[in-house]
Amino acid sequence: MSYLPVLLIVWAVIAACFLALLAYRGQLTRYEEDQLFLGDNHSNEQDEQTEIIRKVNKIRPMVNLFGYAAALATIGIVGLFTYDAWQHLR
């Protein structure tokens, strides 16, 4: 059995997870606004913005992990494909 189809399936799963996390982060930040709350009173808008930032910061490590894993898998697949093509040309 060839290793390339297995690597492509693993890459597809990693990339799908990465894209799902990016879509989720996009949905979270859809209603984020750039506001500066100067008063001491905690308004409802400030609480909502704080909650959005907390959720985005919570998923940031997972986004980075899947992004780096997808990049590494892509480089690995391209490298193995190039090596395999080079061996067939010899």
Side-chain angles (χ1 to χ4, degrees), residues 4-21 66 69-74 77:
L4 196 56
V6 174
L7 288 176
L8 288 174
I9 291 170
V10 170
W11 174 83
V13 169
I14 292 171
C17 291
F18 178 59
L19 291 175
L21 283 170
F66 278 102
L72 186 63
T74 302
I77 289 171

Side-chain angles (χ1 to χ4, degrees), residues 25-79:
R25 185 178 69 182
Q27 287 296 325
L28 285 177
T29 59
R30 172 187 245 175
Y31 299 109
E32 184 179 15
E33 297 180 17
D34 294 332
Q35 293 183 2
L36 181 60
F37 299 99
L38 296 176
D40 287 337
N41 59 348
H42 289 286
S43 65
N44 189 27
E45 293 87 14
Q46 183 179 6
D47 293 337
E48 289 174 2
Q49 297 302 313
T50 304
E51 183 66 20
I52 290 171
I53 291 170
R54 187 190 65 77
K55 287 179 181 178
V56 169
N57 288 337
K58 185 177 179 180
I59 66 167
R60 180 177 291 155
M62 293 300 290
V63 171
N64 289 342
L65 176 74
F66 278 102
Y68 291 134
L72 186 63
T74 302
I75 291 169
I77 289 171
V78 169

Side-chain angles (χ1 to χ4, degrees), residues 77-87:
I77 289 171
V78 169
L80 288 173
F81 183 76
T82 305
Y83 176 75
D84 190 42
W86 180 260
Q87 293 298 321

